Amino acid sequence: MADIIIVGSLNADLVVRSPRFPQPGETISGEDLQIIPGGKGANQAVAAARQGVKTAMLGRVGSDSFGPFLVENLKANQVDTSHVIVDSSATGTAIIVVDSNGQNSIVLSPGANGNVSPADVDSASFSNSKLLLLQLEIPTPTVLHAAQQARANGLTVILNPAPAKSLPRELISVVDILIPNESELSLLTGLPVNDIGSAEHAAKEILKQGVKTVIVTLGSKGALLVTAHQTTQIDTYKVNVVDTTAAGDAFIGGFASAMLNGKSLEDSVRYGCACGALATTKFGAQPSLPTKEEVEKIIK
Ligand code: RIB
């Protein structure tokens, strides 16, 4: 079995590059439509696999043409897809506009991701794996069940609470490492998060709920690592931004692979920052995720 299991979403990203985002009620012209493999779960699986880690994906696609397109891309990246179920609904899609600054705006249509169930989780064995990666593009009861199963089998549970939503305390209490961005952390805690001090304060509130480590991703400002014993801001690398889509996923896959390879928490965050920065230099979700060689080069 794989060292890292990802229970999460697979999306076909329908992406248009546009000079700017349209206003409500406005129509503007963009470039040609591109269909790109995405979904936070699948992106994190590919991000970790490209660092040479044995990775398995558990999720669902529909019975349309997007399903095989997504599964084949995972296989091409050496991700084990034996727990990706094909059901009779539509494959999840994300409608994405990327503006001239590389920022994005995303609307999700969950499709088959909305059917990933606790029974799907039970069809896989966690006993020989080390780490579970979770996000919130599948139903929350399934995320909770997967986290509980992983805990029971001694895996480290990492939750990326994206897209932002409030979560049951039960779930937070079985998470080892929580990786939100600033707005997700604010929604989870009900506290304003707009600078390093407020991020540290909110992260400490989460620690009180049983999480051991909170890593707040801060975009071009890097990341803030908060545990009971330390608060450390880690800078990221300066790059030319083309498209920020999946930068957070690249960070998480890279961070998880570094942890698995025995790096310290701080060095793993630094490694994740390198992966996230590199992902912003290329267009699209999975095509932008860096290889191990690219990451080692920027770190040097
Ligand atoms: O994190 C980026 C991802 O969010 C995209 O690939 C899109 O599918 C949405 O899930």
Side-chain angles (χ1 to χ4, degrees):
M1 191 59 181
D3 288 328
I4 300 185
I5 303 182
I6 294 90
V7 177
S9 58
L10 300 95
N11 290 329
D13 290 354
L14 311 185
V15 193
V16 173
R17 229 197 279 242
S18 162
R20 61 181 174 79
F21 298 118
Q23 299 295 315
E26 187 189 23
T27 302
I28 57 175
S29 285
E31 297 179 11
D32 288 347
L33 173 73
Q34 299 196 47
I35 303 177
I36 299 173
K40 294 185 194 303
N43 294 346
Q44 292 177 21
V46 172
R50 288 204 179 148
Q51 301 315 309
V53 172
K54 278 175 79 187
T55 305
M57 177 82 210
L58 189 152
R60 282 182 181 241
V61 293
S63 47
D64 47 23
S65 61
F66 288 151
F69 167 65
L70 299 181
V71 172
E72 287 312 314
N73 194 62
L74 287 180
K75 284 185 183 161
N77 282 283
Q78 275 69 55
V79 176
D80 176 350
T81 58
S82 48
H83 292 285
V84 177
I85 296 166
V86 180
D87 73 23
S88 58
S89 53
T91 299
T93 46
I95 313 296
I96 305 182
V97 177
V98 178
D99 78 358
S100 58
N101 298 317
Q103 300 303 310
N104 62 46
S105 112
I106 304 180
V107 177
L108 290 175
S109 175
N113 295 315
N115 302 332
V116 182
S117 68
D120 296 351
V121 172
D122 289 340
S123 72
S125 159
F126 287 7
S127 58
N128 292 319
S129 299
K130 298 184 177 127
L131 214 144
L132 173 73
L133 286 184
L134 296 163
Q135 320 75 30
L136 300 177
E137 288 185 338
I138 58 170
T140 306
T142 307
V143 174
L144 172 62
H145 185 70
Q148 289 169 331
Q149 292 304 105
R151 244 310 155 88
N153 283 280
L155 281 73
T156 298
V157 178
I158 300 182
L159 172 65
N160 169 219
K165 57 177 84 156
S166 50
L167 294 175
R169 265 189 177 245
E170 261 189 296
L171 172 55
I172 297 191
S173 70
V174 285
V175 170
D176 296 294
I177 304 176
L178 188 81
I179 310 184
N181 64 19
E182 290 157 284
S183 57
E184 289 151 5
L185 180 61
S186 176
L187 190 135
L188 280 179
T189 57
L191 296 168
V193 177
N194 38 39
D195 56 17
I196 300 293
S198 55
E200 179 182 10
H201 177 64
K204 286 188 167 161
E205 286 304 307
I206 298 274
L207 294 182
K208 288 181 192 160
Q209 296 179 38
V211 174
K212 295 184 195 80
T213 302
V214 179
I215 300 164
V216 190
T217 54
L218 304 167
S220 60
K221 298 191 293 296
L224 188 72
L225 168 63
V226 185
T227 70
H229 313 290
Q230 71 171 130
T231 297
T232 311
Q233 187 189 350
I234 290 148
D235 286 335
T236 188
Y237 297 80
K238 294 222 179 331
V239 290
N240 284 331
V241 176
V242 171
D243 176 7
T244 56
T245 308
D249 301 326
F251 175 95
I252 289 162
F255 166 79
S257 70
M259 288 280 294
L260 211 61
N261 288 331
K263 287 192 194 291
S264 68
L265 253 182
E266 214 171 304
D267 283 345
S268 299
V269 172
R270 203 161 282 120
Y271 197 91
C273 284
C275 294
L278 283 167
T280 67
T281 64
K282 292 185 191 158
F283 186 70
Q286 284 166 38
S288 76
L289 300 168
T291 61
K292 195 170 185 200
E293 292 68 35
E294 288 170 322
V295 182
E296 282 169 356
K297 196 168 156 202
I298 194 175
I299 285 178
K300 264 187 198 152

